[in-house]
Amino acid sequence: MHTQNKISVVIITGNEENNIRDCLKSVTWADEIIVVDSASTDNTVNIAKEFTDKVYVNEWKGYSAQKTYALTLAKNDWIMSLDADERVSENLSKEILENDLSNHNGYYIKRDNYFLGKLIHGCGWGNDMQLRLFKKSEVKLSDRLVHEKFIVNGSISKLENSFSHYSYTNLNDAFYKINKYSTLEANEKVSKKSVNFFTMLLSPPFYFLHHFIIRKGFLDGIYGIIISYMHMMTKLQVQLKIWEIENKKTK
């Protein structure tokens, strides 16, 4: 059994006082914990300082830029990247610490997604594999405004155990994030695609059916219906915001 793995856990935050304590409790096993905060106005920074002295405040310039900056602060080559609403299980931490990681440059880890407190199996959420453990020297981030990803150079494997994600604890939070992420996605896609009457009319309901039927949202009952509607609302908002941006340019 190998116990020599030195892991730096890196977390970016912004007004996450309701999440950050549980997240940090789940990674006290790490050799180093780095929190990069984007000038939170709540108690996030003070809570983070209870767990680590490596808490940095950095001006927000986007997800990719913030995570790239956070990586530069880590002293170890092996990095685990987390969001404040994610938790590492005891089994996963043992797997990371007690196994030889050197055969690969990165590892996918299954993410268990919870919605309003319920573990979701359908809607494409049940097979969510995330690349979150990697060598800093072999990684870069995709240049996206939203849904940024880590890109690892070299071989990638996967771990057996999973971590948990509590993204939506209530519907108000869900609707806030839909509005936030759809704005970012619209700004990212506006130069690459346009919308018209038919895409606005047909695409959102198709998106609902895709998640509820093809991606098996029906397995989660009423929760699957709500999540499928949320995906539909996100798709519609992206299209409406692209239309709005394009319409302003023609005036």
Side-chain angles (χ1 to χ4, degrees):
M1 301 287 282
H2 296 262
T3 58
Q4 80 276 19
N5 298 325
K6 300 295 185 181
I7 308 294
S8 293
V9 171
V10 174
I11 306 164
I12 66 168
T13 59
N15 290 331
E16 291 283 1
E17 65 178 5
N18 294 327
N19 284 315
I20 191 60
R21 186 182 300 277
D22 287 340
C23 178
L24 291 170
K25 281 182 179 179
S26 77
V27 294
T28 54
W29 50 267
D31 182 62
E32 177 183 51
I33 301 174
I34 293 172
V35 176
V36 176
D37 186 79
S38 54
S40 291
T41 56
D42 64 4
N43 205 35
T44 299
V45 170
N46 290 331
I47 295 172
K49 287 180 178 179
E50 295 176 18
F51 294 83
T52 176
D53 59 354
K54 296 184 177 181
V55 179
Y56 305 86
V57 176
N58 190 57
E59 180 185 356
W60 180 257
K61 295 180 180 179
Y63 289 101
S64 183
Q66 196 78 335
K67 289 185 178 181
T68 297
Y69 170 70
L71 293 181
T72 67
L73 302 172
K75 69 178 183 182
N76 298 306
D77 197 26
W78 277 105
I79 308 290
M80 184 169 194
S81 175
L82 287 176
D83 293 334
D85 56 6
E86 296 172 339
R87 318 280 181 262
V88 176
S89 67
E90 184 177 350
N91 286 338
L92 177 57
S93 64
K94 287 182 179 179
E95 184 179 5
I96 292 171
L97 292 175
E98 296 177 356
N99 288 277
D100 186 2
L101 303 175
S102 63
N103 292 328
H104 305 281
N105 291 339
Y107 290 85
Y108 282 102
I109 309 173
K110 185 177 184 294
R111 184 167 67 174
D112 296 329
N113 293 288
Y114 289 80
F115 179 73
L116 306 184
K118 182 185 184 302
L119 177 62
I120 301 301
H121 300 283
C123 294
W125 289 22
N127 57 352
D128 183 12
M129 300 297 294
Q130 295 284 325
L131 183 59
R132 295 301 188 83
L133 181 65
F134 46 79
K135 286 184 178 180
K136 180 177 69 171
S137 57
E138 301 293 343
V139 76
K140 65 178 181 178
L141 276 123
S142 61
D143 187 19
R144 294 195 59 185
L145 296 179
V146 65
H147 305 310
E148 73 292 340
K149 293 183 179 181
F150 294 101
I151 302 171
V152 169
N153 178 42
S155 64
I156 303 172
S157 186
K158 65 180 180 179
L159 300 182
E160 295 296 325
N161 292 285
S162 62
F163 67 106
S164 300
H165 183 215
Y166 298 90
S167 182
Y168 305 106
T169 56
N170 57 67
L171 289 177
N172 185 62
D173 183 41
F175 295 144
Y176 168 80
K177 289 182 178 179
I178 286 174
N179 186 50
K180 177 182 177 181
Y181 294 150
S182 63
T183 297
L184 291 172
E185 189 172 347
N187 282 306
E188 182 178 75
K189 292 182 175 180
V190 66
S191 61
K192 302 173 184 177
K193 64 182 296 185
S194 60
V195 297
N196 55 46
F197 174 84
F198 292 102
T199 56
M200 286 188 194
L201 180 66
L202 300 177
S203 184
F206 173 81
Y207 219 59
F208 171 84
L209 293 174
H210 176 74
H211 281 83
F212 189 68
I213 296 177
I214 298 175
R215 306 191 93 178
K216 299 182 179 180
F218 59 83
L219 293 175
D220 297 296
I222 186 67
Y223 294 89
I225 292 175
I226 296 172
I227 292 170
S228 298
Y229 270 123
M230 285 170 49
H231 282 289
M232 182 187 79
M233 290 167 60
T234 303
K235 187 72 170 180
L236 178 59
Q237 284 199 35
V238 169
Q239 292 184 338
L240 291 175
K241 290 172 182 179
I242 289 174
W243 175 86
E244 181 181 39
I245 294 169
E246 292 178 333
N247 195 48
K248 285 181 179 179
K249 290 180 179 178
T250 61
K251 289 185 177 181

